[in-house]
Amino acid sequence: MKYSFVSHLFCPKCEKTYDTKEQHQLCSCGSPLLVDYHWDQIKENLKREDLLTREPSLWRYHELLPVEDSNNVVSLGEGMTPLISMPTLGKDMSVENLFMKDEGLVPTGTFKARGAAVGVSKAKEIGVKELAMPTNGNAGAAWALYAARAGINSTIVMPVDAPVITRNEVASSGAKLYLVNGLISDAGKIVAKAVKDNNLYDASTLKEPYRIEGKKTMGLEIAEQMGWKMPDVILYPTGGGVGLIGIYKALKELKSLGWVEGKLPRLVAVQASNCAPIVKAWEEKKTESEFWQDSSTLAFGINVPKALGDFLVLDAIYQTDGCAIAIDDQSMVEEQEKISRLEGAFICPEGASTFVAIRRLRESGWIKEGETVVALNTGAGIKYPDTVKVEVPMLEKEASIYEDHKDLVK
Ligand SMILES: *Cc1c(COP(=O)(O)O)cnc(C)c1O
Ligand SMILES: [Zn+2]
């Protein structure tokens, strides 16, 4: 059995093609490159049913992934995260069929591990010895750790106020770590220079073509977990937008394989009110976004003032009759606590933003009664220990909680 049916890289802007056996970054026209496959061969060699007996990781879809030799797979068991029904929360927002794809359960605690697993594996396959990337924290943590497993050196630059836990993950991997007093866009400029001066492999968002292939497995899994029936709406907390582009790519690929039928789900990009370039562009019906000045949000993973793949994100939204919506930080934190209380799931603020969005879109009637809705929780709440502020009663030693709270006990 052939491990992958990868064919070539292509440019979604100018249609130029490239070889997947060589190292490529952006197209000569400046656009990100996408991966294509030999669809006829996949159709002949792979059936949906074949998946039933495979391992519960994203590598179950290896024919649709770019790694050609299974010996190059660098895995920590990522993928096949649960798709959980959220009945109590759903009732609270009048969305009966509400599901959460929980990416808090992958190695490194965010879905970034998917992009890192496939991106680092392919980097290993094409002979990369040293990579560099800017990050808001979670991607850097995932790439540094997967690179460590692959024996690839990495250089990571992150904003000084990226979550400390991500800084520690990167440092513990043995990567070269630098902090910058600025945003991910500033880190990006420093990395771009380092890449040029030292001939490093640039693993920045969408500057290498394979991270998106890892992220697309979220879309493959949602379809498989729903029994190859697509939901009506999928919401995604959008920073660089790779996850959304990936899910869109996955669903189109499944359609071309004939594994799913009908209309694609309406894709919704959820952003933070103080960093919403995609939302602004969508509201103005533009095909590209503008740099968002002085962006800030506690949902660190979506603090991306200008995404390289913005035109692909907007295209995915337009093509599926989706929308884009901005959510303020306060509402995210309130929703995060509500989800813990109602469903016992402690999710990240980025993930919580998608549930606020569902609430708003249901209120406005954009989400209709009876529709099936899937929200992506992109990471574990425990990676953001300080977003929840609580006051806890302090007891004297040997105090009796029962006596103090008798009124509360039936
Ligand atoms: C990176 C990140 C996002 C945004 O992902 P993109 O695919 O780059 O848009 C969302 N949530 C979390 C927790 C992240 O780390
Ligand atoms: Zn091009």
Side-chain angles (χ1 to χ4, degrees), residues 205-225:
T205 306
L206 290 173
K207 285 194 184 167
E208 60 76 48
Y210 302 107
R211 180 198 294 214
I212 185 174
E213 295 301 296
K215 293 190 175 184
K216 100 182 168 187
T217 57
M218 289 187 288
L220 301 177
E221 287 176 21
I222 289 170
E224 186 180 356
Q225 288 171 315

Side-chain angles (χ1 to χ4, degrees), residues 110-112 138-139 205 211 215 236-244 300-302 304 348 350-351 378-379 384:
T110 74
F111 81 108
K112 291 291 195 312
N138 288 331
T205 306
R211 180 198 294 214
K215 293 190 175 184
Y236 183 80
T238 304
V242 186
L244 196 96
F300 222 79
I302 52 175
V304 181
C348 67
E350 291 86 343
T378 39
Y384 303 70

Side-chain angles (χ1 to χ4, degrees), residues 122-191:
K122 190 65 189 179
K124 184 178 168 194
E125 186 157 89
I126 55 179
V128 171
K129 298 280 178 287
E130 183 146 13
L131 61 81
M133 67 187 291
T135 177
N136 271 337
N138 288 331
W143 278 74
L145 288 160
Y146 279 84
R149 187 165 171 85
I152 294 175
N153 295 325
S154 53
T155 299
I156 311 283
V157 185
M158 65 168 71
V160 62
D161 42 54
V164 175
I165 179 65
T166 62
R167 191 191 292 181
N168 295 347
E169 287 175 281
V170 174
S172 72
S173 77
K176 281 182 227 146
L177 171 65
Y178 301 94
L179 302 177
V180 55
N181 196 358
L183 291 175
I184 189 171
S185 41
D186 301 297
K189 282 177 206 149
I190 295 170
V191 167

Side-chain angles (χ1 to χ4, degrees), residues 10-18 26-33:
F10 71 97
C11 173
K13 267 201 174 147
C14 74
E15 293 176 8
K16 203 166 167 189
T17 62
Y18 296 85
L26 295 174
C27 178
S28 55
C29 79
S31 164
L33 294 171

